[in-house]
Amino acid sequence: MDDVRIIDGDLAQVIKLDEGQIPLLSTLKNYSQKEIACFDVPGHVRDQGVEVLNNYFGNEIMKMDINSSPFMDNVSKPNGIIKQAQDLLANAYKSDEAFFITNGTTQAIHAMILSVINPNDKVLLPRNIHKSVINALILCGGQPVFIQPEFDEELGISLNISTTKVKEALDKNNDIKAIFLLNPTYYGACSNLSEIIRLCREKSVLVLVDEAHGAHFPFHQDLPPSAMDLGADMAAVSIHKTGGALTQASSLLVNKGNIDCEKVSQSINMLQSTSASYLLMASIDGARYNLISNGQEQLSKALNLSRYAKSKLNKIEGIKVVTTEILDSDGVEYIDETKLCINVKGLNLTGFKVYDILYQEFGVQLELGDLYNILALVSIGTTKQDIDKLIKSLDIISRKYSEYRSASILETKQISPIVRLNPRQAFYSQKESIDFKKSINRICAESIMVYPPGIPIVSPGEVITIEILEYINLLRESKAYLTDMKDKSLDTILVIKEN
């Protein structure tokens, strides 16, 4: 579908968008093939300076790793091929504007929140948000107001937030500036975003969405609806996660009605390098073209492979795959079937253990493991051979560890935070390290989380409870990869210094 967009508000400058074009990728390729004597950065000077990189990356990649120039546009204030590529991306995602982001969706989330949240503004958000949101609140001084997402006891995972809880929170807090939502969660659960947006419009509350794991949503009818299509104000989208671009290639999408796009651009430029990677930006251009051209077919294949995997895996003793079953749960309106949440509780092995076994013994790399589950992403690049290898590996594990099934099951739970200081106040307060076991009722001064997915168990400004300590100890005993704390052994923990 063609579209017409105005460049820089000048009615005389219009371009007709052609979804079959790849303006940035094709121009970068042509530029790399020109015979040019380069006296600019980067210092490797195409493929002339660092042979080991040529050998590992290839000469063409090295030639395409360039810096901004008048001929190649500039991401800080694009008005040429980058602008054209961003407009095509906005068109594909049904948004008014799209900004290229080269430091991952973390940077997109930081820019999104910085552009609309002032110091002490309240932000309504689910507790199972990524650490980047807490860090964005440190940057801007916003005040989090948490909603607990619904929790699946059987799976041991947080789902998404219910419309009822959003309404209750909005009625209770009449000074909420914005709501921050996940569409989807790491495990593919989507709330009733359309109804939540309607509730927020009635209260003049901005709707910001972390759509890191939903880059593929607009390109197949069997997938959940995208945030932009439903009318959210802004969405941060990891084009690299499920859209096919290179790692760290992301986008910030904007619908203009309630948003100052100049402020958004200013926030991005505060956070993004002036030497943004052309390889990453061009990969967004190429991924967008592929999704427009081949997304329907590739995603149909991915969905069929996921459904095939589910049917086979559910026949393995001790294994249970859950996708559409959780649609009956509160807080779940849609589910992304390309995300296989494989519950291994019946094996009486933790997901962390199964994750390690699959990689170390079978050469199968999963997205994550938790106490009860492993998560496999079925994407546009997944093959039936990959799926069959996963099925066979889990079948062998099930038989090999069958004697463990009578042992006790670990208990996982949802933790409700007690916020005493906003994240920025906690970040700039004086701190001290104390014995981990003696930290109950102290205010935490650091984040502790399992990565992936990077959801904080405790964040700066929150009270450390016995429940939190017990859960962290359970994760330590389960060999979870805990991160972000100062003391990697967790013998001590960083807390706010008391007067």
Side-chain angles (χ1 to χ4, degrees):
M1 179 178 65
D2 291 345
D3 190 19
V4 174
R5 287 185 179 264
I6 299 169
I7 305 300
D8 290 336
D10 186 347
L11 291 173
Q13 289 191 62
V14 296
I15 56 170
K16 191 168 186 180
L17 297 181
D18 179 355
E19 291 171 343
Q21 290 182 336
I22 323 173
L24 182 55
L25 183 59
S26 59
T27 305
L28 180 61
K29 176 71 171 177
N30 292 337
Y31 184 83
S32 71
Q33 294 175 335
K34 292 180 182 292
E35 292 295 329
I36 300 173
C38 294
F39 295 94
D40 60 348
V41 295
H44 57 69
V45 189
R46 298 188 167 198
D47 61 348
Q48 297 171 194
V50 187
E51 186 175 354
V52 66
L53 294 182
N54 298 338
N55 293 338
Y56 276 82
F57 292 158
N59 294 66
E60 287 197 19
I61 290 290
M62 296 304 292
K63 287 179 179 179
M64 293 173 72
D65 182 38
I66 68 164
N67 197 36
S68 299
S69 74
F71 313 105
M72 293 299 296
D73 206 0
N74 190 305
V75 73
S76 296
K77 188 67 175 177
N79 57 17
I81 52 170
I82 293 176
K83 176 61 176 171
Q84 290 180 39
Q86 288 185 157
D87 284 345
L88 284 165
L89 186 67
N91 216 40
Y93 279 92
K94 299 179 183 178
S95 63
D96 293 334
E97 294 284 347
F99 296 89
F100 285 167
I101 302 293
T102 57
N103 195 31
T105 297
T106 288
Q107 183 199 330
I109 286 171
H110 288 176
M112 175 164 60
I113 291 176
L114 273 174
S115 65
V116 297
I117 300 300
N118 298 321
N120 300 315
D121 280 348
K122 288 184 179 180
V123 185
L124 194 60
L125 66 168
R127 186 59 183 84
N128 58 333
I129 41 85
H130 188 263
K131 68 175 185 177
S132 58
V133 182
I134 300 297
N135 291 335
L137 296 178
I138 290 173
L139 291 174
C140 71
Q143 178 71 37
V145 178
F146 288 113
I147 306 177
Q148 278 294 6
E150 302 306 312
F151 190 73
D152 189 301
E153 298 284 350
E154 180 67 21
L155 293 175
I157 62 170
S158 295
L159 300 174
N160 219 313
I161 56 174
S162 68
T163 307
T164 300
K165 284 186 178 178
V166 172
K167 187 177 187 311
E168 289 173 354
L170 290 174
D171 289 342
K172 185 178 179 181
N173 300 272
N174 58 11
D175 53 351
I176 295 290
K177 176 73 174 292
I179 188 171
F180 185 94
L181 302 165
L182 298 170
N183 192 58
T185 65
Y186 224 110
Y187 296 91
C190 298
S191 58
N192 189 341
L193 187 54
S194 177
E195 180 63 13
I196 291 173
I197 290 173
R198 186 190 67 77
L199 289 172
C200 289
R201 290 288 172 256
E202 291 177 356
K203 304 272 188 178
S204 297
V205 172
L206 297 173
V207 179
L208 317 178
V209 181
D210 177 353
E211 206 163 60
H213 289 270
H216 54 313
F217 283 2
F219 305 99
H220 199 282
Q221 67 278 2
D222 288 352
L223 293 170
S226 70
M228 288 289 98
D229 201 19
L230 293 176
D233 293 296
M234 286 193 279
V237 181
S238 291
I239 312 295
H240 70 96
K241 280 188 169 70
T242 56
L246 297 179
T247 297
Q248 282 191 208
S250 183
S251 180
L252 181 53
L253 307 173
V254 180
N255 281 328
K256 288 182 178 179
N258 303 307
I259 302 298
D260 181 351
C261 280
E262 281 302 313
K263 182 73 176 293
V264 174
S265 180
Q266 183 183 29
S267 299
I268 291 171
N269 288 337
M270 285 173 58
L271 300 166
Q272 183 152 273
S273 171
T274 53
S275 301
S277 169
Y278 273 77
L279 290 172
L280 296 184
M281 291 189 291
S283 79
I284 298 173
D285 198 25
R288 184 269 317 158
Y289 171 82
N290 178 69
L291 287 168
I292 288 290
S293 304
N294 307 308
Q296 176 72 22
E297 179 183 351
Q298 290 180 327
L299 289 167
S300 289
K301 178 185 173 185
L303 285 162
N304 288 335
L305 284 175
S306 182
R307 292 160 182 163
Y308 162 75
K310 178 180 176 179
S311 69
K312 294 292 186 181
L313 289 169
N314 276 341
K315 294 176 182 176
I316 299 174
E317 190 174 355
I319 297 289
K320 183 180 180 181
V321 180
V322 179
T323 54
T324 53
E325 290 84 352
I326 64 173
L327 288 174
D328 292 333
S329 307
D330 286 342
V332 184
E333 185 73 13
Y334 302 96
I335 191 73
D336 177 5
E337 291 185 75
T338 67
K339 293 175 175 61
L340 287 174
C341 181
I342 304 170
N343 189 274
V344 296
K345 189 166 62 171
L347 300 177
N348 210 55
L349 299 172
T350 67
F352 303 120
K353 181 66 174 177
V354 176
Y355 175 95
D356 289 342
I357 293 170
L358 281 168
Y359 177 73
Q360 293 166 2
E361 298 184 21
F362 297 95
V364 174
Q365 176 67 65
L366 294 180
E367 176 65 13
L368 65 79
D370 62 31
L371 282 172
Y372 287 0
N373 310 283
I374 51 178
L375 182 65
L377 305 187
V378 183
S379 70
I380 58 176
T382 304
T383 66
K384 186 174 184 296
Q385 183 180 4
D386 297 330
I387 294 291
D388 286 335
K389 186 174 184 179
L390 173 64
I391 295 167
K392 183 178 180 181
S393 301
L394 285 171
D395 185 46
I396 293 171
I397 291 171
S398 171
R399 287 184 275 112
K400 182 177 179 180
Y401 290 91
S402 59
E403 69 273 16
Y404 286 80
R405 289 194 189 115
S406 60
S408 61
I409 297 296
L410 295 169
E411 183 178 345
T412 186
K413 64 183 86 174
Q414 190 176 50
I415 294 173
S416 298
I418 302 170
V419 180
R420 286 282 168 78
L421 298 174
N422 76 32
R424 184 179 179 86
Q425 289 172 324
F427 183 82
Y428 285 106
S429 295
Q430 286 191 309
K431 306 170 182 67
E432 61 180 342
S433 292
I434 65 171
D435 188 318
F436 178 77
K437 297 174 185 175
K438 298 178 180 178
S439 64
I440 297 172
N441 294 326
R442 295 293 296 272
I443 300 174
C444 194
E446 61 183 347
S447 289
I448 301 174
M449 66 198 70
V450 177
Y451 187 84
I455 297 169
I457 301 160
V458 62
S459 293
E462 295 177 1
V463 176
I464 301 167
T465 62
I466 183 65
E467 189 179 36
I468 288 171
L469 291 190
E470 288 175 348
Y471 188 57
I472 290 173
N473 278 327
L474 173 61
L475 292 169
R476 291 169 74 183
E477 292 165 4
S478 303
K479 309 298 183 186
Y481 181 67
L482 292 162
T483 186
D484 275 34
M485 58 280 185
K486 180 181 178 182
D487 180 359
K488 301 303 178 187
S489 68
L490 265 178
D491 293 330
T492 63
I493 187 170
L494 202 61
V495 297
I496 303 300
K497 195 170 186 177
E498 294 181 335
N499 295 328

